[in-house]
Amino acid sequence: KILRKMADAFKELAATVNSQTAMEVAPFSRACSFVSPLFGCLGIAFKFAEMDYVAKVGDLAEASKSIATLKVMLDRDIEGNCVRKAGSHTRNLLRVKRGLDMVRVLFEQILATEGDSLKDPASKAYAQVFAPHHGWAIRKAVAAGMYALPTKAQLMKKLNEDEASARIQMQHYVAASSSVILYIDKLFLSRELGIDW
C-alpha cells in the first residue's frame, strides 16, 4: 500500500520536526523514496518529474551514508561554495522538496474536488509548485500530458486502494508533509539561501 507507506513515513518525519530534533538524511530520503511510485502512476505528464525526483532522492540516500542531518548537508555545501551548482545535495534537496510539495497540493486538490478527473487537481498542483521554475517548453509538454492522466478510479486501482482508505492516507500525508516542507524551507531561509531558484 503505497499511500499508507508514504503517510506513515511522513508522520514519523513530522514527529521529528515537532520534537525539534535535527532531521536525519537517511529517514528523510527513505520517506521520499515512498513517493516515487506515485509519480509513475500519474503517467506521461509527470514522467520528467518522476525521473528527476528519483535521481535526486537517490543522491540524498547516497549522501546519508556520510552525512547525518539535513542541516549538516546544507552547511557542507555552503562551506564548499556549491549550494546552487547542479548536482549539489542542497540543490537536490530543494528539488525533492518541490516534488513533495507538488504531491501535497495534488492530494489537497483531489480531496477537495468531486468527480473522477485528475486533470484539474494535477494542473493546479503543477501550476502552483513546478510551473514557476519551468520554461515554456516544459510547461507546454506538461499541459499536453495532462490529457493522458489516469482517472481517480484508475489511480486508486494502480495504488491498490479504495477511495475511503485513500482519502484518509492522503489527509495524513498532507498534514505530515506540510510540517516537513516548512522545516526544509526554514532551513534554507535561516541560511539565507532562498527557496525560489
Side-chain angles (χ1 to χ4, degrees), residues 33-192:
S33 72
F34 293 139
V35 178
S36 304
L38 181 72
F39 284 112
C41 293
L42 291 172
I44 195 77
F46 290 96
K47 192 68 194 161
F48 77 93
E50 178 191 13
M51 291 174 355
D52 190 54
Y53 179 86
V54 168
K56 307 267 188 286
V57 170
D59 171 70
L60 297 179
E62 192 56 38
S64 74
K65 294 174 183 173
S66 59
I67 303 170
T69 68
L70 295 181
K71 284 180 181 172
V72 170
M73 193 170 77
L74 263 64
D75 291 340
R76 280 198 193 167
D77 280 355
I78 292 167
E79 283 166 29
N81 201 19
C82 64
V83 166
R84 290 190 183 217
K85 287 196 176 120
S88 82
H89 300 317
T90 301
R91 189 170 186 266
N92 288 345
L93 174 62
L94 185 62
R95 299 301 193 276
V96 166
K97 187 225 33 162
R98 276 191 200 128
L100 301 176
D101 203 22
M102 208 279 318
V103 171
R104 179 188 64 81
V105 177
L106 174 67
F107 284 179
E108 284 177 346
Q109 295 297 324
I110 288 173
L111 292 166
T113 17
E114 294 298 316
D116 201 33
S117 174
L118 287 179
K119 189 176 180 301
D120 271 1
S123 297
K124 285 178 181 165
Y126 176 78
Q128 188 176 322
V129 180
F130 284 140
H133 307 285
H134 287 166
W136 180 85
I138 292 178
R139 289 199 305 265
K140 278 286 173 222
V142 170
M146 290 293 177
Y147 292 96
L149 282 167
T151 62
K152 272 189 207 174
Q154 289 167 332
L155 179 64
M156 293 306 144
K157 195 171 182 177
K158 285 181 181 180
L159 293 172
N160 195 18
E161 289 280 357
D162 62 74
E163 187 150 353
S165 72
R167 291 181 77 82
I168 292 166
Q169 299 308 331
M170 285 180 184
Q171 285 163 340
H172 288 317
Y173 175 82
V174 166
S177 66
S178 296
S179 56
V180 173
I181 290 163
L182 187 63
Y183 174 86
I184 294 169
D185 283 348
K186 284 179 178 170
L187 266 188
F188 274 77
L189 297 173
S190 69
R191 284 154 179 74
E192 297 180 1

